[in-house]
Amino acid sequence: AITALGACHWVNGLPPARLPGKSVVLSRLTAFAPSWRSRGSPSRTPLTGQLTGAATFEMAGTDHKKPQLTGGPAIILVAPQLGENIGTAARAMLNCGLGDLRLVAPRDGWPSAKAVAAASGADSVLDQARLYPDLRAAAADLHHVYASTARDRYMVKRAVTPRLAAGEIRAHLAANEPCGVIFGPERTGLVNADITLADTVLTVPLNPAFSDR
């Protein structure tokens, strides 16, 4: 997976950082989130503004005295195979300030000690992760759903890049319309039945001869 945040443009001027996470999709989506919520804060604060009323929380990072940021789209992992990959996805999410992790039928069950170890301190994301029996249930409350895939599915589906999706998600969230991004299993990626439940296909422009699913 591509894990450098330097590929995206942070609208609040934060310096680039490195993520150990799922893919460049996560880093680009979060770079354009409309606002962030600090746990313990009574109000949402624009990304470009200062956090007000924020409490200090422990988190995986270089400064544990700073407030923890959450918000953005839900991240849905469909049938993840390895606990380690769930943990690294959670770590990528917390680096980017995402807090809503949804798991659909993890192969090795849940909770997972391997996920905790791989998360390297992103326990807050794992502690709040929600477990679902199927994708339809996981996405039931979302107004807009993006399905991540690298393969052409030959469907009549609108396809966007992470950069375009980020702007759209920012607008949707600002209008109080919940959004989510779906990722498939490590071995196969999403099946077509999963993608039919999404509004839009999300594709990262990669090497056409060697692209992750």
mmCIF file of all heavy atoms in Angstrom, residues 149-157 159 192 195 201 203 213:
data_model
loop_
_atom_site.group_PDB
_atom_site.id
_atom_site.type_symbol
_atom_site.label_atom_id
_atom_site.label_comp_id
_atom_site.label_asym_id
_atom_site.label_seq_id
_atom_site.Cartn_x
_atom_site.Cartn_y
_atom_site.Cartn_z
ATOM 1 N N THR A 149 -11.531 0.158 -5.558
ATOM 2 C CA THR A 149 -11.126 -0.973 -6.393
ATOM 3 C C THR A 149 -10.132 -0.509 -7.441
ATOM 4 O O THR A 149 -10.144 0.649 -7.848
ATOM 5 C CB THR A 149 -12.342 -1.628 -7.079
ATOM 6 O OG1 THR A 149 -11.896 -2.748 -7.869
ATOM 7 C CG2 THR A 149 -13.065 -0.651 -7.985
ATOM 8 N N ALA A 150 -9.278 -1.419 -7.864
ATOM 9 C CA ALA A 150 -8.300 -1.105 -8.903
ATOM 10 C C ALA A 150 -8.668 -1.746 -10.231
ATOM 11 O O ALA A 150 -8.044 -1.467 -11.247
ATOM 12 C CB ALA A 150 -6.906 -1.572 -8.477
ATOM 13 N N ARG A 151 -9.684 -2.597 -10.215
ATOM 14 C CA ARG A 151 -10.048 -3.322 -11.438
ATOM 15 C C ARG A 151 -11.266 -2.695 -12.100
ATOM 16 O O ARG A 151 -12.172 -2.193 -11.427
ATOM 17 C CB ARG A 151 -10.377 -4.790 -11.118
ATOM 18 C CG ARG A 151 -9.255 -5.550 -10.460
ATOM 19 C CD ARG A 151 -9.476 -7.050 -10.574
ATOM 20 N NE ARG A 151 -10.775 -7.468 -10.064
ATOM 21 C CZ ARG A 151 -11.002 -7.834 -8.803
ATOM 22 N NH1 ARG A 151 -10.022 -7.778 -7.909
ATOM 23 N NH2 ARG A 151 -12.186 -8.241 -8.409
ATOM 24 N N ASP A 152 -11.285 -2.741 -13.404
ATOM 25 C CA ASP A 152 -12.455 -2.299 -14.155
ATOM 26 C C ASP A 152 -13.547 -3.342 -13.982
ATOM 27 O O ASP A 152 -13.374 -4.507 -14.337
ATOM 28 C CB ASP A 152 -12.096 -2.142 -15.632
ATOM 29 C CG ASP A 152 -13.209 -1.456 -16.424
ATOM 30 O OD1 ASP A 152 -14.345 -1.383 -15.907
ATOM 31 O OD2 ASP A 152 -12.941 -1.015 -17.554
ATOM 32 N N ARG A 153 -14.685 -2.948 -13.433
ATOM 33 C CA ARG A 153 -15.772 -3.894 -13.171
ATOM 34 C C ARG A 153 -16.828 -3.896 -14.266
ATOM 35 O O ARG A 153 -17.801 -4.648 -14.184
ATOM 36 C CB ARG A 153 -16.429 -3.567 -11.820
ATOM 37 C CG ARG A 153 -15.468 -3.562 -10.647
ATOM 38 C CD ARG A 153 -14.641 -4.832 -10.544
ATOM 39 N NE ARG A 153 -13.743 -4.813 -9.408
ATOM 40 C CZ ARG A 153 -13.964 -5.464 -8.275
ATOM 41 N NH1 ARG A 153 -15.056 -6.185 -8.127
ATOM 42 N NH2 ARG A 153 -13.086 -5.402 -7.293
ATOM 43 N N TYR A 154 -16.652 -3.055 -15.273
ATOM 44 C CA TYR A 154 -17.593 -2.989 -16.389
ATOM 45 C C TYR A 154 -19.026 -2.783 -15.905
ATOM 46 O O TYR A 154 -19.968 -3.413 -16.369
ATOM 47 C CB TYR A 154 -17.484 -4.262 -17.244
ATOM 48 C CG TYR A 154 -16.087 -4.484 -17.758
ATOM 49 C CD1 TYR A 154 -15.231 -5.395 -17.128
ATOM 50 C CD2 TYR A 154 -15.596 -3.756 -18.846
ATOM 51 C CE1 TYR A 154 -13.940 -5.586 -17.582
ATOM 52 C CE2 TYR A 154 -14.292 -3.938 -19.299
ATOM 53 C CZ TYR A 154 -13.470 -4.857 -18.664
ATOM 54 O OH TYR A 154 -12.188 -5.039 -19.112
ATOM 55 N N MET A 155 -19.163 -1.884 -14.955
ATOM 56 C CA MET A 155 -20.464 -1.517 -14.421
ATOM 57 C C MET A 155 -20.794 -0.087 -14.829
ATOM 58 O O MET A 155 -19.905 0.702 -15.130
ATOM 59 C CB MET A 155 -20.487 -1.599 -12.886
ATOM 60 C CG MET A 155 -20.320 -2.971 -12.305
ATOM 61 S SD MET A 155 -20.417 -2.888 -10.482
ATOM 62 C CE MET A 155 -20.243 -4.613 -10.066
ATOM 63 N N VAL A 156 -22.081 0.200 -14.829
ATOM 64 C CA VAL A 156 -22.499 1.579 -15.065
ATOM 65 C C VAL A 156 -22.426 2.292 -13.719
ATOM 66 O O VAL A 156 -23.430 2.505 -13.036
ATOM 67 C CB VAL A 156 -23.920 1.643 -15.657
ATOM 68 C CG1 VAL A 156 -24.290 3.091 -15.964
ATOM 69 C CG2 VAL A 156 -24.007 0.794 -16.911
ATOM 70 N N LYS A 157 -21.205 2.612 -13.337
ATOM 71 C CA LYS A 157 -20.941 3.265 -12.062
ATOM 72 C C LYS A 157 -20.021 4.450 -12.305
ATOM 73 O O LYS A 157 -19.072 4.375 -13.082
ATOM 74 C CB LYS A 157 -20.243 2.311 -11.089
ATOM 75 C CG LYS A 157 -21.139 1.264 -10.460
ATOM 76 C CD LYS A 157 -21.887 1.814 -9.278
ATOM 77 C CE LYS A 157 -22.691 0.709 -8.597
ATOM 78 N NZ LYS A 157 -23.518 1.252 -7.511
ATOM 79 N N ALA A 159 -16.990 6.719 -11.593
ATOM 80 C CA ALA A 159 -15.679 6.445 -11.007
ATOM 81 C C ALA A 159 -14.935 7.750 -10.773
ATOM 82 O O ALA A 159 -14.943 8.644 -11.629
ATOM 83 C CB ALA A 159 -14.868 5.533 -11.918
ATOM 84 N N ASN A 192 -18.154 -7.965 -6.995
ATOM 85 C CA ASN A 192 -19.094 -7.078 -7.679
ATOM 86 C C ASN A 192 -20.362 -6.819 -6.866
ATOM 87 O O ASN A 192 -20.931 -5.728 -6.919
ATOM 88 C CB ASN A 192 -19.457 -7.666 -9.040
ATOM 89 C CG ASN A 192 -18.326 -7.531 -10.044
ATOM 90 O OD1 ASN A 192 -17.334 -6.861 -9.785
ATOM 91 N ND2 ASN A 192 -18.461 -8.192 -11.184
ATOM 92 N N ILE A 195 -19.781 -3.920 -4.645
ATOM 93 C CA ILE A 195 -19.683 -2.639 -5.345
ATOM 94 C C ILE A 195 -21.054 -2.133 -5.774
ATOM 95 O O ILE A 195 -21.286 -0.918 -5.849
ATOM 96 C CB ILE A 195 -18.733 -2.774 -6.547
ATOM 97 C CG1 ILE A 195 -17.314 -3.053 -6.037
ATOM 98 C CG2 ILE A 195 -18.730 -1.515 -7.405
ATOM 99 C CD1 ILE A 195 -16.285 -3.251 -7.107
ATOM 100 N N VAL A 201 -17.484 4.436 -7.554
ATOM 101 C CA VAL A 201 -16.259 3.642 -7.507
ATOM 102 C C VAL A 201 -15.077 4.582 -7.292
ATOM 103 O O VAL A 201 -14.972 5.629 -7.937
ATOM 104 C CB VAL A 201 -16.068 2.836 -8.804
ATOM 105 C CG1 VAL A 201 -14.676 2.230 -8.876
ATOM 106 C CG2 VAL A 201 -17.128 1.743 -8.907
ATOM 107 N N THR A 203 -11.020 4.851 -7.425
ATOM 108 C CA THR A 203 -9.857 4.182 -7.996
ATOM 109 C C THR A 203 -8.631 5.076 -7.922
ATOM 110 O O THR A 203 -8.683 6.244 -8.313
ATOM 111 C CB THR A 203 -10.110 3.801 -9.477
ATOM 112 O OG1 THR A 203 -11.235 2.923 -9.546
ATOM 113 C CG2 THR A 203 -8.901 3.094 -10.066
ATOM 114 N N ARG A 213 -5.655 -4.553 -5.508
ATOM 115 C CA ARG A 213 -7.064 -4.685 -5.779
ATOM 116 C C ARG A 213 -7.882 -3.613 -5.112
ATOM 117 O O ARG A 213 -9.039 -3.471 -5.369
ATOM 118 C CB ARG A 213 -7.546 -6.075 -5.346
ATOM 119 C CG ARG A 213 -7.009 -7.178 -6.249
ATOM 120 C CD ARG A 213 -7.187 -8.550 -5.629
ATOM 121 N NE ARG A 213 -6.354 -8.714 -4.439
ATOM 122 C CZ ARG A 213 -5.074 -9.077 -4.482
ATOM 123 N NH1 ARG A 213 -4.477 -9.268 -5.620
ATOM 124 N NH2 ARG A 213 -4.377 -9.224 -3.365
#
